[in-house]
Amino acid sequence: MPKTIIRHWTALLLMMLAMVVTCGPATARDRVLIDTGWRFAKGEPAGSDAGLDYDVRPEVTQSADGKVADARPDAAVAVDARNARILKPWILPSANALIRDPARRHVRPTGDPGSDHPYVQAGYDDSQWQSVTLPHDWAITGPFLETGPYGGMGRLPSWGIGWYRRVLDIPASDRGKSIFLDIDGAMSYSTVWLNGRLVGGWPYGYNSYRLDLTPFVRFGEANQLAIRLDNPPESARWYPGGGLYRNVWLTKTDPVHVAHWGAVVTTPEVSAERATVKLDVTIDNDGAGLADAEVATTLYALDGQGRRTGKPVASIARAPVRVAADGQATASGSAVIEKPRLWGPPPTQVPNRYVAVTRVMQGGRVVDEVETRFGIRTIRFDPDRGIIVNGEHIRFQGVNNHHDLGALGAAFNTRAAERQLELLRDMGVNAVRMSHNPPAPELLELTDRMGFLVIDEVFDSWERKKTPLDFHLIFPDWHEPDLRAMLRRDRNHPSIVLWSVGNEVGEQYTGEEGAAIGRKLVQIVREEDLTRPTTSAMNFAKADMPLPGVVDVLNINYQGHGIRTLPSQYPAFRARFPDKAILHSESASALSSRGEYLFPVPGAISASVRPGAGGDPVTQQVSAYELFASDFGSSADRVWALDDQHPWNAGEFVWTGFDYLGEPTPYYGARSSYSGILDLAGFPKDRYWLYLSRWKPDLKFAHILPHWSWPGREGQVTPVHVFSSADEAELFVNGKSQGRLKRAPFAYRFRWDFVTYEPGEIRVETWKDGKTWASATRRTTGEPARLSAEADRTRIAGDGKDLSFITVRVLDKDGQVAPRAMTPLRVTVTGPGELVATDNGDPTSFVPFQSAERRAFNGMALAIVRARPGARGTITVRVEGDGVQPASVGIVTGNARQ
């Protein structure tokens, strides 16, 4: 063979070997989503006395349902767990990796409780169980409870025992690897068995956790996985959902690998010219002998969709690390990125991101590889201005959101969450508070990509209880591992700017005793992350009490502006803590039902909902004039008037962005809340345009309310309000002026409170700085004549997860929305897709979300559609209604989302 050919093949072989060393085998780390192939059953076998409770729970003698949302939490009830058959001693060791002091870690008792239970046996016939795909919420299918308690939890049966089973095929070639089960969220008190042996579990339903399956795996065989959940009643103040409602993963690694959440990126020096990126990588050695390894990292820029772009922008030199048997060690290094692209919130900044690709090598072989996404940015809280991001003052225009996705329930869906964020962004929202628990990890990926600022919150209660069986039962044992789990999982997300260790906890009332608990939690945060400040939302603690002094940033709920907290507590907090930023972490809590206008309308700027004054206890609807609030809250108008008088306030997080399941203040006979700026279906209430006028003041628009179709109100006073950022407005009724108004100081709407209704047209003209700004018109509509159907996206992925949201409107013959229409509708789906759910935003509707039949609510309804997995083609969605022309829309499904 000629020497040139030999040299050619030799060079090629060397290049291929170099690629293996550099890139590593594809199997260095396998992280497999196990969302299919599950069987589910509710309850225990007939006649079973399973004895599988985590702990002894207090007896519930009185339901907390309907309890005032800001009621004072109570002391825990003592229980005697001696001689009880409980799993707690076997579950507690699951937390050991997240307990800092080795002396406080737990020793697993001998034995495997539950090993004789039929549902954990490989031979058990589960063919009659329900076949489910994760994420799965067992409660969202209902039926709704029309009587009895649990309106606070959404009138959906989320409580009870649920079992999930799945076979894991782990080949013999995986022998010698470490095998982990990673659960992003399980509601709640989860316990896991593999091959009949108890592996471990996790009580808190909102946290992600890892279990080591390796000692229980039968390599080369089918492995029977069984997961039991025990979701208590009276365990939440809102709808918690039930089940494996987030993703579950099987992770396989070499014994020497990056620890769970073991890569930590910080950026200690940032400027427009250069940024120092520091990376600490914790390495686990699950082997029986001392291990020597090397850690190397390459940094890449990401595009707007999170994909790597171009060549590496920097690298961190290889660092040797020696890890003891069954031990850990950390390798640290840093690199400089020239002219870094900073992460920041739109519209003035761009949420640029990078990824650190870390490889662990032994003997020239890559044994592990992980990717860590991060952003480069600076944040600082200033007591006079609030948050400063990359040197720019950003005022929080935020909302609170609970974790349910409306008609989809608690089962997380990335597209549904993305749609919510898109709707909020269009309104001017730049921040989200995770109320009141760690979110799905995919939600933080979205906030990173879209540029939202985030308050990540861990607990709604500490040792004192809000409902009889809430988190307070496990707080003493689990507060440290649960808090560390959230911090370690989430600390690389650039969108997170504050860590909140609690929400309206009962320890506000217990003076120094409560503050001591707060100090302990804050210390844990500082041990895990020194780059962000701490907070805890307070609705009772006053400036002279101990708890506010514990945290770095003061998060105040309603005390600045709530009806029960007059006068405002802001000046007192400002005087007592002049060096701390003050943030309105729950503002407003205004209430309304979309499209429901009740008369008479008070002249006040804010009022509590009462019968005949904002609320109708018969229909259980709340007026959409957007003047009414919960007893502890207030309208947006009142919040802003006080905010503008305290300009050092860092901004607000409105309660809430969307209506949510449960906590239906003021009518606990309903299914969902009234506090959203958007309703449960994602349709904007009138309040949406009020916030738009505040948060996007350069947007030229005028929004009129109410509608102008009032048969029977002829000659009666029907106030007209207009939301706009203009400073002057004139209203016309059928061409007759009702007066030209100038915006008064600390006023945020134009209102003509003595307009007499007459059918026809109302029109508003507005001006700003003396120049024409915007106009708007409403006309009296005719009878419902036809339907329209509009999809938010007409092309979706054929993966069985991507969704299209179809808005259905009831129109008159002229194409105007019939604002009072309650037309019965029927949805049919043909082609390679299926109907997932319907809704209409009516908080009082008990029609199952999965029903294809639903009335319009004030002229609108929603249908949610997905493609069948692997399907391609056109999905046709047809909507029919009584006495109206039908409508249809086509959705193309394939491999890509648009």
Side-chain angles (χ1 to χ4, degrees):
M1 183 180 294
K3 291 182 179 180
T4 54
I5 297 178
I6 293 174
R7 285 197 298 269
H8 169 78
W9 284 107
T10 301
L12 182 61
L13 179 61
L14 290 172
M15 184 174 68
M16 292 173 65
L17 288 173
M19 289 176 63
V20 170
V21 172
T22 302
C23 300
T27 55
R29 171 182 287 250
D30 288 337
R31 187 169 186 257
V32 181
L33 179 64
I34 50 174
D35 59 347
T36 59
W38 291 89
R39 296 283 183 174
F40 167 74
K42 191 85 181 291
E44 295 285 7
S48 169
D49 180 18
L52 300 179
D53 292 339
Y54 170 79
D55 202 352
V56 176
R57 293 173 181 155
E59 181 182 359
V60 179
T61 58
Q62 183 175 357
S63 173
D65 199 52
K67 184 178 179 181
V68 177
D70 66 337
R72 177 173 177 163
D74 304 314
V77 175
V79 294
D80 185 359
R82 292 175 299 179
N83 304 318
R85 295 172 58 197
I86 57 175
L87 297 185
K88 181 177 175 179
W90 284 265
I91 303 299
L92 285 171
S94 301
N96 280 346
L98 294 154
I99 298 174
R100 194 181 197 202
D101 181 359
R104 297 185 59 249
R105 295 173 186 162
H106 307 281
V107 177
R108 177 187 169 111
T110 58
D112 288 291
S115 60
D116 57 349
H117 193 287
Y119 290 174
V120 310
Q121 308 303 319
Y124 178 78
D125 182 8
D126 58 16
S127 61
Q128 299 305 304
W129 286 22
Q130 181 184 357
S131 177
V132 299
T133 297
L134 306 185
H136 175 243
D137 177 2
W138 75 47
I140 195 61
T141 55
F144 284 101
L145 304 177
E146 298 196 26
T147 61
Y150 307 138
M153 293 171 65
R155 299 199 168 275
L156 288 164
S158 58
W159 48 92
I161 307 296
W163 282 88
Y164 293 82
R165 284 168 49 92
R166 191 192 193 278
V167 172
L168 302 177
D169 291 313
I170 302 178
S173 58
D174 283 340
R175 193 181 305 276
K177 293 185 176 181
S178 295
I179 312 295
F180 302 102
L181 186 71
D182 293 331
I183 296 179
D184 286 346
M187 190 64 68
S188 57
Y189 288 90
S190 55
T191 307
V192 177
W193 287 263
L194 187 68
N195 298 321
R197 297 192 60 194
L198 177 60
V199 179
W202 205 273
Y204 192 32
Y206 290 106
N207 249 338
S208 303
Y209 68 95
R210 164 172 283 188
L211 295 177
D212 186 358
L213 301 182
T214 314
F216 310 95
V217 170
R218 296 172 183 167
F219 293 94
E221 303 179 29
N223 291 261
Q224 182 61 59
L225 178 66
I227 302 177
R228 179 184 188 265
L229 304 180
D230 181 7
N231 214 19
E234 301 285 352
S235 61
R237 299 184 297 130
W238 56 85
Y239 175 71
L244 296 176
Y245 72 111
R246 294 179 184 166
N247 285 328
V248 176
W249 307 82
L250 188 68
T251 302
K252 305 175 185 180
T253 70
D254 190 90
V256 177
H257 59 271
V258 177
H260 195 213
W261 306 320
V264 184
V265 178
T266 55
T267 53
E269 297 177 9
V270 177
S271 70
E273 297 302 317
R274 54 189 285 144
T276 301
V277 178
K278 184 175 184 293
L279 179 67
D280 297 315
V281 182
T282 300
I283 305 298
D284 278 351
N285 177 13
D286 296 339
L290 181 71
D292 286 307
E294 290 183 312
V295 179
T297 299
T298 306
L299 307 180
Y300 297 86
L302 296 177
D303 67 14
Q305 297 303 311
R307 297 168 298 209
R308 290 191 211 175
T309 62
K311 297 179 180 180
V313 296
S315 61
I316 298 175
R318 291 191 182 193
V321 60
R322 174 165 288 186
V323 196
D326 197 27
Q328 281 188 338
T330 298
S332 299
S334 63
V336 172
I337 296 179
E338 302 292 343
K339 297 192 180 303
R341 296 162 39 192
L342 302 185
W343 185 97
T348 57
Q349 300 187 40
V350 179
N352 297 302
R353 289 185 296 162
Y354 294 85
V355 63
V357 181
T358 300
R359 297 180 178 94
V360 181
M361 290 155 286
Q362 282 188 292
R365 181 175 71 92
V366 175
V367 295
D368 197 13
E369 178 177 304
V370 297
E371 293 190 359
T372 307
R373 297 183 178 196
F374 66 98
I376 299 173
R377 48 98 174 116
T378 63
I379 59 169
R380 178 172 62 88
F381 280 84
D382 183 282
D384 297 320
R385 294 192 293 166
I387 191 170
I388 313 296
V389 182
N390 300 323
E392 180 187 3
H393 173 225
I394 304 290
R395 187 165 180 81
F396 284 110
Q397 298 177 174
V399 298
N400 289 267
N401 262 2
H402 271 306
H403 75 138
D404 76 74
L405 294 169
L408 302 177
F412 188 79
N413 179 277
T414 299
R415 172 54 199 162
E418 181 182 49
R419 172 182 177 255
Q420 285 195 342
L421 291 175
E422 288 171 349
L423 291 167
L424 293 171
R425 180 178 59 190
D426 290 345
M427 185 176 63
V429 171
N430 64 9
V432 180
R433 176 174 174 235
M434 303 299 175
S435 311
H436 303 289
N437 45 258
E442 293 84 0
L443 182 54
L444 293 174
E445 168 66 18
L446 288 171
T447 58
D448 286 350
R449 175 167 62 81
M450 299 173 74
F452 287 88
L453 305 173
V454 170
I455 300 178
D456 209 0
E457 190 159 74
V458 64
F459 303 132
D460 187 50
S461 58
W462 295 348
E463 291 184 348
R464 300 180 74 83
K465 62 184 172 71
K466 296 179 179 178
T467 61
L469 301 179
D470 66 18
F471 183 79
H472 83 281
L473 296 177
I474 55 176
F475 182 88
D477 291 319
W478 287 89
H479 65 271
E480 180 185 358
D482 271 314
L483 179 52
R484 290 192 196 275
M486 181 190 79
L487 296 166
R488 292 184 187 178
R489 189 197 71 172
D490 296 350
R491 58 192 168 186
N492 291 316
H493 288 283
S495 56
I496 297 172
V497 296
L498 262 177
W499 300 117
S500 175
V501 297
N503 171 67
E504 299 181 354
V505 296
E507 283 71 11
Q508 295 174 99
Y509 299 82
T510 60
E512 181 53 41
E513 178 185 350
I517 296 175
R519 262 185 228 101
K520 186 188 303 182
L521 297 175
V522 167
Q523 179 58 33
I524 291 172
V525 174
R526 290 173 178 161
E527 290 167 359
E528 298 289 340
D529 179 32
L530 289 173
T531 69
R532 301 171 179 89
T534 62
T535 192
S536 182
M538 296 171 286
N539 67 329
F540 170 79
K542 304 301 186 289
D544 59 351
M545 294 180 179
L547 187 58
V550 169
V551 295
D552 303 311
V553 172
L554 298 173
N555 269 19
I556 309 301
N557 291 2
Y558 310 111
Q559 291 204 71
H561 314 23
I563 291 171
R564 289 182 176 164
T565 55
L566 293 174
S568 171
Q569 297 297 307
Y570 274 15
F573 277 106
R574 172 76 167 172
R576 175 68 178 82
F577 300 102
D579 58 337
K580 293 188 180 186
I582 299 177
L583 175 60
H584 203 172
S585 43
E586 286 185 28
S587 69
S589 196
L591 308 175
S592 60
S593 304
R594 178 184 53 78
E596 292 284 315
Y597 304 96
L598 306 181
F599 305 97
V601 178
I605 66 167
S606 185
S608 294
V609 177
R610 292 293 183 268
D616 186 336
V618 176
T619 65
Q620 298 189 74
Q621 302 293 359
V622 179
S623 178
Y625 270 94
E626 310 298 6
L627 295 169
F628 304 96
S630 62
D631 283 3
F632 51 83
S634 63
S635 69
D637 308 59
R638 184 170 182 272
V639 168
W640 295 337
L642 289 172
D643 273 353
D644 288 346
Q645 295 172 62
H646 302 129
W648 34 261
N649 181 325
E652 67 175 321
F653 287 78
V654 180
W655 191 266
T656 53
F658 287 79
D659 282 348
Y660 55 95
L661 290 167
E663 209 170 26
T665 305
Y667 300 122
Y668 268 72
R671 67 172 193 194
S672 52
S673 77
Y674 299 77
S675 59
I677 301 171
L678 299 99
D679 69 19
L680 198 70
F683 298 147
K685 302 178 184 179
D686 290 282
R687 207 178 332 148
Y688 181 96
W689 285 274
L690 184 59
Y691 281 97
L692 191 65
S693 70
R694 171 80 167 183
W695 289 344
K696 287 191 171 183
D698 295 330
L699 187 63
K700 293 184 177 182
F701 77 93
H703 176 78
I704 303 173
L705 68 145
H707 60 76
W708 208 239
S709 300
W710 296 104
R713 284 197 65 80
E714 291 81 1
Q716 297 186 48
V717 172
T718 305
V720 176
H721 293 191
V722 170
F723 300 152
S724 176
S725 57
D727 51 35
E728 289 188 78
E730 185 172 8
L731 179 71
F732 301 87
V733 177
N734 292 327
K736 294 177 290 187
S737 176
Q738 307 297 300
R740 180 162 171 164
L741 304 179
K742 288 188 176 182
R743 185 192 295 276
F746 306 114
Y748 305 92
R749 67 175 76 195
F750 299 99
R751 52 193 298 172
W752 293 264
D753 284 335
F754 301 100
V755 176
T756 300
Y757 174 69
E758 57 183 64
E761 175 187 277
I762 54 175
R763 178 172 55 89
V764 67
E765 298 287 346
T766 64
W767 297 264
K768 191 170 186 177
D769 298 326
K771 298 178 181 179
T772 298
W773 185 250
S775 62
T777 301
R778 282 192 182 270
R779 296 180 179 88
T780 303
T781 60
E783 293 298 313
R786 62 184 178 89
L787 303 176
S788 71
E790 181 182 3
D792 69 332
R793 293 176 310 137
T794 55
R795 182 178 294 273
I796 62 174
D799 57 4
K801 296 180 181 293
D802 200 8
L803 301 172
S804 182
F805 291 79
I806 294 102
T807 298
V808 180
R809 294 180 176 87
V810 183
L811 308 177
D812 70 3
K813 63 181 179 59
D814 297 321
Q816 299 180 102
V817 174
R820 298 162 62 93
M822 306 292 187
T823 308
L825 304 173
R826 297 172 296 281
V827 182
T828 56
V829 177
T830 55
E834 58 188 0
L835 181 68
V836 179
T838 62
D839 194 12
N840 58 13
D842 179 2
T844 70
S845 174
F846 289 166
V847 176
F849 289 120
Q850 298 73 32
S851 175
E853 298 185 0
R854 183 173 301 277
R855 287 182 178 272
F857 179 61
N858 292 324
M860 299 181 73
L862 177 75
I864 307 173
V865 173
R866 67 184 168 209
R868 290 194 293 271
R872 299 178 67 91
T874 299
I875 303 166
T876 300
V877 182
R878 179 179 172 88
V879 187
E880 300 172 298
D882 292 357
V884 293
Q885 295 179 9
S888 62
V889 63
I891 301 160
V892 177
T893 180
N895 296 324
R897 294 177 55 196
Q898 287 187 1

